[in-house]
Structure formats: structure tokens, C-alpha cells
Amino acid sequence: MKITLFSAKPYDRQYFDRFNNSQDIEIEYYETHLGPHIANVVEDTYAVCAFVNDKLSAPVLQTLAERGVKVIALRCAGFNNVDLEAASRLGLRVCRVPAYSPEAVAEHTVAMLLTLNRKTHKAYNRVREQNFSLNGLLGFNLHGKTIGVVGTGKIGKAFCKIMLGFGCKVIAYDIYEDADLKQAGVNYLPLKEVLATADVLSLHCPLTPENHYMINGESIRKMKKGVVIINTSRGGLICTTEIIEALKEKHVGALGIDVYEQEEKLFFRDLSENIIDDDNIQRLMSFPNVLVTAHQAFFTDEAMRQIAEVTLNSITGFYTANEPANEMILI
Ligand code: NAI
């Protein structure tokens, strides 16, 4: 059985080869992302394995189905890049890795927050230049601050628990309230109250057509002046041009993003010798109070092991027994 894996980086090969114990599985790796330009190279393939920025639109899925592909295996949790309706219509079965170390993403979110509020990114550079001055490094305690969390699923829940441990007041909005979190002290409120009350706002909900650009000029104006916003979920939750304006007006005190709405043109690649023509990301990176990481929140050894193991098991499950392991079914 053959798997064709797109957006393959050296670390993907390392973990997938390590967990591919079966003699029957051949994995063909393509470094390029999956899109209409490449879908027709797929040959004799049972499953196509894709990542966050691969484009699984209806035409791409149509080509894959015509070429005999049976399974789309997402090696990620988010699935906003797949046209599930088209997949279902074409008889393609889709699986994902529903959870791969939610703690990895939650801990990275905390790392971003601590960098921004204690300015360790500046301190690191400063002492290397033998500048031991503290001017400009003034931070604030997280203890006692109100942390607003949007989406308290696996990652949001892990993040809430860490923040409670810091002595923060945690308020949250989710379509479903989590009983454990309520018991632990998290206070569920309507979204607009969470936005209006939080000192720090962290996004952990999936991107859907309904919440696209939920953070925009209008919603930001209702937030506290100086609010710190962290997004490790999906770039499309934030309207980049409008948050840039809010940063210029100093309404947003700091911004940490591990995801960016145009990230597929940039992230996971070394562009250090290129001229980047995305002025929005360049503007964001020019702010001293903005931290950008390139979709690395998941990137720990524990998560990579789980991604490879769960993906290979799901595909084998389909192949050998038609077993719907981690299958995504349209309701
Ligand atoms: P999950 O499915 O366990 O939790 C998502 C939560 O969001 C659920 O409780 C759901 O009820 C809630 N939700 C759905 N729509 C909402 C809305 N409009 N407003 C508020 N809450 C809403 O998912 P998990 O594992 O916690 O992942 C969350 C997101 O994190 C993923 O969708 C993905 O976009 C992102 N992610 C980012 C990674 C990174 O490396 N930066 C890695 C893995 C996931």
C-alpha cells in the first residue's frame, strides 16, 4: 500500500519512517504543498497525507479521487483546509489526528505570553551586546490578571489549567461549557463579555466561516486598552490589517501569533534570501510588541511521535479492516 505525503520536511520523514514498521507501506514524500498544481502526480496511492497548509479543495479532491486515492489522512487536528462535503460526495474517507499533545500548543501559548509580558526576546539580544540596562524592559505580573480564553477544547483546557496555576482569573467562551474547568474556577461568559473584560485574550477555537475575522477593528475597540492577544489557533480568526491599525493606535498592548492568515506563502520555509512581498507580515514583525512564530506550537517530540503513529494506524485501519479510526464524518 502506498501513501503520498505532501509538505514533507526532514522531521516528517524522520518520524514517519521511524513509525512505519510495516513492510507493506511505501511512503512517497513530496516537499511541495498539495494543491491543483500537483494533485495529478499522485499515482497508485491508497492514501494522501496532508498538513495544515495543503489545499484540499473540491477540484483537488476530484483529481485525487479520479487517480484512485481512497483516503485523505490529515496529520493535524484542524480541518478548515478540506472541503469535507466534496470528499463525502466523491467517496473519499477523511481522517485526522484529533489530539497530539494539546499541552504542546498550550505551553507554547504560555511561552509567547511570557515573552511578550516580560520582554525576554529583547533581553536576550540586549545582554549579547553587553547592554545590561533594564530601561524599556518593564513587564507586568500575570498573577491576578484576567485571562480570556475562546474555545476550551483540548488545547484551551490545558491552557486554562496552566493559567489557573499562575494565579490568574480565567474567563472563557465556548459553545459547550466544560464541567471540570467550571469546577476548577473557570467562569464561562458570553463572548462579548470575555472580549471586554480580558487583560489577555487567547484563541483556541477552530476556524469556521462564522468566526472568520472574529478579531477585527470593531471587536478590538470593545476590548480593554492594552489587551494582549495571543493566537495559536488559525490565522483567519484575526483580520490582520485591522489589528495592525489597533497596534498603531496602542489599543492592543501586545500580539503573539503562531498562525497567520497568509501563512501558506511563508511558514515552514527558509526565506532568508528572499524579498518578501507580504507587507502585512513585514509590518507586524516591525512592532517591538509583536511576536511571530511560524506555526511551531505543536512542534515537540511527543507531538511528532503521536502524529506519525496515529496517522499510520488510521490509514492501516482503513486499509485492512475498513475501520473508521479518527474518521471525519459529515453530519
Ligand atoms: P478541540 O476540538 O478539542 O476544541 C475546540 C473547542 O472550540 C471546542 O470546545 C469547541 O466547542 C470550541 N468552539 C468551536 N467553535 C467555537 C466558536 N465559534 N467560539 C468558541 N468556541 C468554539 O480542538 P483543539 O485540539 O483544542 O484545537 C483547537 C484549535 O487549535 C484547532 O482547531 C487548530 O486550529 C489549532 N491548532 C493549532 C496548532 C498549532 O501548532 N498552532 C496545533 C493544533 C491545533
Side-chain angles (χ1 to χ4, degrees):
M1 181 244 288
K2 187 165 122 187
I3 300 173
T4 303
L5 190 148
F6 285 93
S7 300
K9 299 292 173 203
Y11 44 83
D12 293 308
R13 286 171 186 255
Q14 186 193 327
Y15 280 90
F16 273 82
D17 285 346
R18 186 159 130 208
F19 283 91
N20 179 17
N21 302 317
S22 163
Q23 300 289 345
D24 294 337
I25 301 182
E26 178 202 341
I27 308 179
E28 184 174 29
Y29 294 100
Y30 280 95
E31 221 176 288
T32 175
H33 72 272
L34 174 58
H37 65 294
I38 190 96
N40 58 6
V41 304
V42 172
E43 237 172 18
D44 303 325
T45 289
Y46 177 71
V48 160
C49 182
F51 197 48
V52 291
N53 293 324
D54 290 315
K55 291 262 175 291
L56 291 141
S57 58
V60 170
L61 293 170
Q62 170 96 37
T63 306
L64 296 179
E66 282 166 7
R67 300 189 73 77
V69 172
K70 302 283 181 244
V71 170
I72 304 296
L74 299 169
R75 56 181 192 283
C76 53
F79 48 89
N80 52 292
N81 53 339
V82 190
D83 187 331
L84 288 176
E85 232 171 73
S88 163
R89 183 168 26 85
L90 293 162
L92 285 165
R93 301 180 75 177
V94 182
C95 62
R96 63 175 180 141
V97 187
Y100 43 95
S101 187
E103 290 77 18
V105 182
E107 289 171 16
H108 188 79
T109 308
V110 179
M112 297 193 92
L113 175 54
L114 285 169
T115 301
L116 288 165
N117 86 318
R118 301 309 301 266
K119 303 185 170 61
T120 45
H121 55 314
K122 290 180 162 206
Y124 174 79
N125 287 326
R126 211 179 259 203
V127 294
R128 287 162 72 90
E129 300 277 328
Q130 300 176 38
N131 175 356
F132 302 106
S133 151
L134 299 186
N135 292 333
L137 296 184
L138 187 69
F140 63 85
N141 287 9
L142 285 173
H143 185 268
K145 293 292 180 298
T146 300
I147 312 293
V149 180
V150 181
T152 54
K154 291 172 284 296
I155 296 169
K157 184 170 183 172
F159 177 71
C160 285
K161 286 185 182 169
I162 300 172
M163 295 304 19
L164 288 168
F166 270 63
C168 297
K169 190 176 159 200
V170 181
I171 56 173
Y173 168 72
D174 195 307
I175 306 157
Y176 304 103
E177 301 189 354
D178 182 290
D180 288 349
L181 283 181
K182 279 168 95 165
Q183 188 146 29
V186 172
N187 188 12
Y188 280 92
L189 294 170
L191 179 61
K192 68 174 192 217
E193 275 183 59
V194 171
L195 299 185
T197 321
D199 297 305
V200 172
L201 183 73
S202 194
L203 306 179
H204 298 289
C205 56
L207 175 65
T208 63
E210 293 74 43
N211 64 16
H212 181 247
Y213 283 177
M214 68 178 289
I215 306 300
N216 55 39
E218 196 187 335
S219 59
I220 292 169
R221 273 189 291 281
K222 293 177 185 148
M223 296 179 199
K224 279 186 174 173
K225 193 167 163 60
V227 62
V228 176
I229 300 176
I230 312 283
N231 185 11
T232 56
S233 194
R234 282 294 178 266
L237 293 171
I238 296 183
C239 175
T240 309
T241 51
E242 294 183 13
I243 208 161
I244 287 173
E245 286 312 306
L247 281 156
K248 281 157 77 178
E249 289 159 11
K250 301 192 179 135
H251 196 99
V252 170
L255 172 69
I257 52 169
D258 184 54
V259 286
Y260 171 61
E261 55 173 320
Q262 302 292 338
E263 70 177 52
E264 68 274 10
K265 295 185 194 135
L266 304 167
F267 286 7
F268 306 118
R269 285 187 280 164
D270 178 0
L271 299 178
S272 50
E273 298 298 321
N274 293 52
I275 306 293
I276 291 176
D277 63 5
D278 179 336
D279 292 347
N280 285 333
I281 195 79
Q282 295 292 37
R283 183 67 183 101
L284 279 177
M285 292 190 300
S286 74
F287 288 102
N289 52 347
V290 172
L291 176 66
V292 180
T293 55
H295 211 132
Q296 75 172 82
F298 73 98
F299 198 46
T300 64
D301 175 56
E302 291 81 353
M304 288 302 291
R305 282 164 188 256
Q306 260 181 309
I307 288 172
E309 203 170 13
V310 171
T311 304
L312 290 170
N313 284 343
S314 298
I315 296 172
T316 313
F318 281 126
Y319 190 69
T320 54
N322 231 17
E323 209 176 274
N326 301 309
E327 185 168 15
M328 306 209 49
I329 312 236
L330 265 190
I331 303 167

